Each structure stands twice: as structure tokens, then as C-alpha cells.
């Protein structure tokens, strides 16, 4: 008489029994839970001080990003390309930035804060006066002339940021709003213009200089951004030289003679 082979219990694997299967499940499950936990945990972002080794590394990454953005725009540049340009690993870069959007915003902020007058202008909490606005304009233009790559970066990023979904959209919107408002206040103070007229003049100046920047990038030898800016300001009644002489520490009068 044929002996019946024992039936496999439901849920058991071939040749295994319930007890061993349960043990395997209990061993496997915690590792899966740990993997899911790692995937969903927030990364710790390193926020170094400026004068430390970590601070210098972060600045090197931002400068590398700006160089690449000036050539190709931010949309075409990957995090890995920025890391390679900065001489750091992809994982090393991600110690300092939460993602590419965060890096783009911080790179633009670094671009904006390249001079003492720029830091003073954008950090100023109240309305801008001629003591801050005109010197900042002159310093900013001089700095741009010395750094065409930075100008190209700004032109590309500001154009990209007109898309409401671009990571820098809100930053540029706020930046232009702040610049326009403070420039308008400075123009009103220097020309005794009514607020509405001063606002229009500020908008005209910004549009004019944005256009001059593009012309300068295309033909730098035949475009003098500093002279064009001074000419516009003087045509609306602002004595640029008098302001430079009044605030020599900010206006850098040697370059304005």
C-alpha cells in the first residue's frame, strides 16, 4: 500500500514548515521597514559659517553653479555637472543643499551680494535714499563690467524665472519689486517728483538697463553701461557726480571722474 506524502501547509514554501516561514518573515520585515524609514527620512543639510572650510566649499559650489548657468542656463545644468565643476562628489554637494532648486536660489543670492553697497541696499529694511540707491547702481554696474559671466547668468535666469513654476520665480519677482520701490523712492527724493511719476521713472530705468545689459553682452566694445546709466539718471534730473562726491565711500569716486 502506497504511503501518502504529508501535505504542505498553506503559506509554507517548498520543503519548509510554518515555523521556519514565520521566522523568515520576522527576519525580513524589519529590514524592509528600515529601508522605507531611510528613504523617507529628511537629510541633514550642513550650514557652515562663511570663514570655515565648509563655508569656502559651499562658496566654491555656488561659484561653479554660476559659471555653468552663465553658459547654459539653469535648466540645462545638472547637480552632477555642478559637483564636477566644483571638484566635489555628488553626495558631498548634497550635504550643503536640499536640492537643485535650493542651489539655484542660493547661487542667485550670492550673485546679488557681490559688493558692499549691494549688501547694504538689499539688507536695508526701510525706504532707500540717495545714500544707498545711486551708489548701489554704480557699484553694481562696475562689478558687472568686470564679470560678464555674472551678467549672462542674470539675463538667462531672470528670463527663465518668468515661468511661474521656475524655482527662482518668487525670488526675482520680489527682487524686482524691492528694486523698483526703493529706486522710485530715491528718484522722488532726488528730483522732487510725485510718487507716481517717480515709480514710472524707476520702471523705465530698470527696463532701459536690462536692455543695455543684453546689448553689452552682444557688443561690449561699443556699449558703455556705466555711461548709459549716468546719462539716463542725469536726464531725469539727478546730479550723479554730486552724489558720488557726497558719499565717496559707497560711490567709489575715482571711477566716476
Amino acid at each position: 500500500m502506497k504511503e501518502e506524502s504529508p501535505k504542505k501547509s498553506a503559506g509554507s514554501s517548498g520543503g519548509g514548515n510554518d515555523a521556519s516561514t514565520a521566522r523568515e518573515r520576522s527576519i525580513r520585515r524589519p529590514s524592509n521597514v528600515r529601508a522605507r524609514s531611510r528613504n523617507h527620512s529628511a537629510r541633514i543639510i550642513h550650514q557652515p559659517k562663511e570663514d570655515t572650510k565648509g563655508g569656502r566649499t559651499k562658496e566654491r559650489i555656488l561659484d561653479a553653479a554660476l559659471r555653468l548657468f552663465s553658459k547654459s542656463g539653469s535648466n540645462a545644468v545638472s547637480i552632477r555637472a555642478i559637483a564636477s565643476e566644483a571638484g566635489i562628489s555628488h553626495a558631498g554637494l548634497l550635504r550643503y543643499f536640499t536640492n537643485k532648486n535650493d542651489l539655484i536660489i542660493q547661487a542667485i543670492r550670492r550673485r546679488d551680494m557681490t559688493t558692499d553697497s549691494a549688501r547694504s541696499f538689499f539688507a536695508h529694511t526701510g525706504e532707500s535714499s540717495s545714500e544707498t540707491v545711486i551708489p548701489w547702481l554704480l557699484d553694481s554696474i562696475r562689478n558687472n563690467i568686470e564679470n560678464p559671466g555674472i551678467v549672462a547668468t542674470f539675463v538667462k535666469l531672470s528670463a527663465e524665472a518668468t515661468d511661474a513654476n521656475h524655482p527662482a520665480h518668487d525670488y526675482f519677482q520680489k527682487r524686482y519689486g524691492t528694486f523698483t520701490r526703493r529706486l522710485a523712492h530715491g528718484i522722488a527724493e532726488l528730483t522732487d517728483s510725485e510718487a507716481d511719476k517717480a515709480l514710472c521713472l524707476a520702471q523705465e530705468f530698470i527696463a532701459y538697463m536690462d536692455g543695455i545689459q543684453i546689448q553689452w553682452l552682444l557688443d561690449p566694445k561699443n556699449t558703455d553701461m556705466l555711461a548709459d546709466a549716468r546719462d539716463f539718471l542725469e536726464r531725469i534730473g539727478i546730479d550723479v557726480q554730486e552724489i558720488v562726491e557726497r558719499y565717496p565711500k559707497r560711490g567709489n569716486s575715482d571711477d566716476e571722474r
Side-chain angles (χ1 to χ4, degrees), residues 29 49 66 73 78 84 103 123-124 127 174 178:
R29 187 175 177 185
K49 293 182 179 179
L66 287 170
S78 69
S84 176
L103 195 159
H124 190 61
E127 296 292 354
K174 183 178 179 181
T178 299

Side-chain angles (χ1 to χ4, degrees), residues 124-137:
H124 190 61
T125 54
E127 296 292 354
S128 288
S129 68
S130 57
E131 184 177 358
T132 58
V133 68
I134 301 303
W136 172 74
L137 286 173

Side-chain angles (χ1 to χ4, degrees), residues 32-81:
N32 291 339
V33 170
R34 284 195 297 271
R36 286 196 298 272
S37 174
R38 281 196 301 270
N39 290 339
H40 290 285
S41 63
R43 286 188 293 109
I44 297 174
I45 303 302
H46 190 44
Q47 299 292 353
K49 293 182 179 179
E50 289 184 8
D51 57 349
T52 63
K53 182 179 179 182
R56 290 189 292 274
T57 299
K58 185 173 182 179
E59 288 179 354
R60 192 171 78 245
I61 295 167
L62 293 173
D63 289 341
L66 287 170
R67 283 195 301 275
L68 293 179
F69 293 163
S70 72
K71 296 174 185 175
S72 309
S74 63
N75 290 335
V77 177
S78 69
I79 285 278
R80 291 186 184 279

Side-chain angles (χ1 to χ4, degrees), residues 3-24:
E3 236 179 74
E4 291 184 6
S5 58
K7 292 181 181 178
K8 292 179 185 178
S9 56
S12 65
S13 56
N17 56 37
D18 290 343
S20 65
T21 302
R23 279 197 301 273
E24 287 173 8

Side-chain angles (χ1 to χ4, degrees), residues 151-208:
V151 181
T153 302
F154 179 84
V155 169
K156 284 188 173 71
L157 289 175
S158 59
E160 289 177 359
T162 57
D163 180 352
N165 296 317
H166 191 276
H169 177 78
D170 290 344
Y171 178 84
F172 272 101
Q173 192 176 57
K174 183 178 179 181
R175 182 189 187 280
Y176 269 93
T178 299
F179 182 18
T180 304
R181 186 178 67 255
R182 293 182 179 174
L183 178 58
H185 184 82
I187 290 173
E189 181 184 76
L190 292 165
T191 64
D192 295 325
S193 298
E194 295 293 330
D196 288 347
K197 181 180 179 183
L199 179 61
C200 287
L201 289 171
Q203 291 171 328
E204 287 176 19
F205 178 83
I206 293 168
Y208 176 75

Side-chain angles (χ1 to χ4, degrees), residues 72-100:
S72 309
S74 63
N75 290 335
V77 177
S78 69
I79 285 278
R80 291 186 184 279
I82 295 168
S84 176
E85 177 75 9
I88 192 172
S89 69
H90 179 248
L93 182 149
L94 291 175
R95 290 184 61 217
Y96 298 93
F97 305 95
T98 54
N99 50 40
K100 182 181 174 182

